[in-house]
Amino acid sequence: MEGIEKVYRFIDEAQTYYLATAEGDQPRVRPFGTALLCNGRIYIQTGKVKPVSRQLAANPKAEICAFKDGKWLRVACELVNDDDHDIKVAMLEKMPSLKGMYSADDDNMQMLYLKNATAVFSSFTEAPETVSF
């Protein structure tokens, strides 16, 4: 579990990370800020009405990139939908600012967890470190 926790801490402490998806043959990248470690999984959150949700439904392969303190993290993964009510509640408790836009009981809040992930920590001064989960 140590590797997944290290990946989560980096993403969470960076606060903003960038999520890349594909729309047909066009890459799409946008900033995200939601992250939750729960039940041994890293979750992110979006709205089902957003294009990113449709893109991931068509192709769940994605990449996350985060940068902090002169180091960066890239995570290649699949994002898997999880409609567990308790996971939604946990995200809203961690990030109360989301409550103005989402509810654990609405049909819009979408929780996605990282699966088949390969994370690479990099910098200009250290050898890369790879973590898989």
Side-chain angles (χ1 to χ4, degrees):
M1 184 69 100
E2 182 180 308
I4 195 171
E5 290 171 353
K6 184 175 181 177
V7 170
Y8 169 73
R9 274 193 312 272
F10 192 100
I11 291 170
D12 194 50
E13 291 171 6
Q15 296 182 339
T16 301
Y17 59 91
Y18 297 87
L19 175 67
T21 58
E23 186 172 54
D25 66 350
Q26 179 64 49
R28 301 288 184 197
V29 181
R30 80 282 291 153
F32 263 64
T34 56
L36 175 72
L37 182 62
C38 191
N39 300 331
R41 294 176 171 162
I42 297 174
Y43 286 88
I44 66 170
Q45 182 274 330
T46 192
K48 292 179 181 177
V49 298
K50 294 183 177 180
V52 66
S53 179
R54 290 188 297 277
Q55 292 158 10
L56 289 167
N59 180 357
K61 291 183 179 180
E63 191 154 304
I64 290 172
C65 185
F67 182 86
K68 75 176 185 81
D69 301 329
K71 298 179 182 180
W72 60 93
L73 169 67
R74 290 177 54 204
V75 185
C77 62
E78 294 174 43
L79 289 171
V80 178
N81 189 64
D82 187 341
D83 282 324
D84 186 305
H85 185 268
D86 293 341
I87 300 296
K88 294 177 182 182
V89 169
M91 179 65 84
L92 292 169
E93 287 176 358
K94 179 180 183 257
M95 305 191 81
S97 62
L98 294 173
K99 291 180 181 179
M101 298 174 282
Y102 299 100
S103 161
D105 298 312
D106 69 24
D107 194 38
N108 183 37
M109 186 174 183
Q110 183 173 25
M111 299 298 300
L112 302 152
Y113 67 88
L114 284 64
K115 179 181 172 184
N116 298 327
T118 300
V120 181
F121 294 90
S122 301
S123 77
F124 290 119
T125 59
E126 299 173 21
E129 176 189 354
T130 301
V131 173
S132 296
F133 55 93

